[in-house]
Amino acid sequence: MMLDYLTYAAIALLVIIFLTQAVRVLREYERGVIFTLGRFTGVKGPGLIILIPVVQQLVKVDLRVVVQVVPPQDVISRDNVSVKVNAVLYFRIDPERAIIKVSDYMAATSQLAQTTLRSVLGKHELDEMLAERDRLNADIQETLDKQTDVWGIKVTAVEIKDIDINETMVRAIAKQAEAERLRRAKVINAMGEQQAAEKLVEAGRILAQEPQAMQLRYFAALHDIAGERSSTVVFPLPMNLLDHLAPRREAT
């Protein structure tokens, strides 16, 4: 009787151990890479999976988008400016290739992202880094995706977070921006003077065609001066009036 009890207990224990090793449940976002006697035999999941203990092994892989922060990197731009740049990397995983092709896909992707960030940004000037982040993000993503494709890593996006510049360069950029604003102000002022001169020339041509129009302009100017209640009145004398007076002076 006691022997039968021990036999049943041993059988029950073996069944529990078998079920513990054989039955696996994978979530919707998980997949299991199955190895039978060390050889790859397929990818299973999600749901209930039955394994043969000792003969088969399972490696879980998460299919959700992985968010990885690229540590700050010291980058020297093409115009020899030293900056510190960090970024965020988003990628998905192909279970089969990620497990078989590379020993640690997370570390490999992180190291490759750091070197790619330095090499790509080093080809551009500082102004491009500050003003054209979208294009740089696309360049880094494309370069990184080509290199990680053999590992089963699909890079979906790369976003440059911060570009840190030392204080000396910040002051230099501020001076450059101020000089640019002054240049634009001078250009706008010169354009205004040019347009005003062109309009004055055009007005002179119109007035030259009708001498009476100049007299009307004189009266309008006098009216404006009188409205200001000024004690000094400057009256323009037409040059043709002097021409009419010149013969009279000779006659006297």
Side-chain angles (χ1 to χ4, degrees):
M1 183 68 180
M2 187 64 180
L3 183 60
D4 294 339
Y5 178 77
L6 292 176
T7 302
Y8 293 148
I11 294 173
L13 181 60
L14 290 175
V15 171
I16 293 173
I17 295 174
F18 176 82
L19 293 176
T20 303
Q21 297 296 323
V23 178
R24 301 293 178 86
V25 177
L26 299 181
R27 298 180 178 90
E28 182 65 31
Y29 55 84
E30 292 178 331
R31 296 295 183 271
V33 181
I34 308 299
F35 294 92
T36 303
L37 295 178
R39 297 180 63 86
F40 171 74
T41 55
V43 178
K44 296 184 179 180
L48 182 66
I49 298 175
I50 305 298
L51 300 176
I52 302 175
V54 181
V55 177
Q56 291 183 323
Q57 293 83 33
L58 178 142
V59 180
K60 288 184 179 180
V61 179
D62 195 327
L63 298 185
R64 291 176 294 182
V65 175
V66 179
V67 181
Q68 190 176 82
V69 178
V70 181
Q73 301 296 309
D74 292 325
V75 179
I76 299 178
S77 64
R78 193 172 64 179
D79 52 348
N80 296 323
V81 178
S82 178
V83 296
K84 183 168 290 187
V85 184
N86 62 345
V88 181
L89 179 66
Y90 302 86
F91 60 90
R92 292 181 179 274
I93 302 167
D94 176 38
E96 178 181 349
R97 288 186 293 170
I99 297 300
I100 296 175
K101 298 295 184 179
V102 60
S103 60
D104 187 347
Y105 61 86
M106 294 290 290
T109 304
S110 176
Q111 294 299 321
L112 185 59
Q114 296 176 37
T115 57
T116 303
L117 185 67
R118 290 196 297 268
S119 63
V120 172
L121 293 183
K123 300 176 182 178
H124 299 273
E125 297 182 356
L126 178 61
D127 292 341
E128 295 176 344
M129 295 183 191
L130 298 176
E132 301 181 7
R133 289 196 182 186
D134 293 339
R135 183 169 64 86
L136 295 179
N137 291 336
D139 291 344
I140 297 171
Q141 182 211 342
E142 183 180 358
T143 303
L144 193 58
D145 189 47
K146 289 180 180 179
Q147 298 178 4
T148 58
D149 183 66
V150 68
W151 300 341
I153 305 297
K154 175 60 180 176
V155 179
T156 58
V158 176
E159 295 291 338
I160 297 175
K161 289 181 62 178
D162 299 314
I163 299 178
D164 295 331
I165 310 171
N166 56 42
E167 293 295 330
T168 303
M169 185 54 61
V170 170
R171 290 194 293 269
I173 293 175
K175 291 181 180 178
Q176 180 182 1
E178 183 179 0
E180 178 66 18
R181 288 194 294 269
L182 291 174
R183 183 189 69 83
R184 292 179 181 178
K186 291 180 179 180
V187 170
I188 293 173
N189 187 26
M191 292 177 62
E193 293 292 338
Q194 179 184 2
Q195 293 175 2
E198 292 176 353
K199 294 298 181 182
L200 287 174
V201 171
E202 183 180 356
R205 290 174 181 174
I206 295 174
L207 292 174
Q209 297 175 1
E210 295 291 339
Q212 293 81 5
M214 182 61 71
Q215 300 295 330
L216 295 176
R217 290 297 303 157
Y218 293 155
F219 293 145
L222 289 174
H223 182 271
D224 294 337
I225 294 173
E228 295 177 358
R229 297 180 181 179
S230 175
S231 59
T232 302
V233 176
V234 179
F235 186 78
L237 183 65
M239 297 300 296
N240 56 359
L241 181 61
L242 296 177
D243 295 337
H244 292 294
L245 296 177
R248 297 181 180 179
R249 286 201 302 268
E250 291 177 358
T252 57

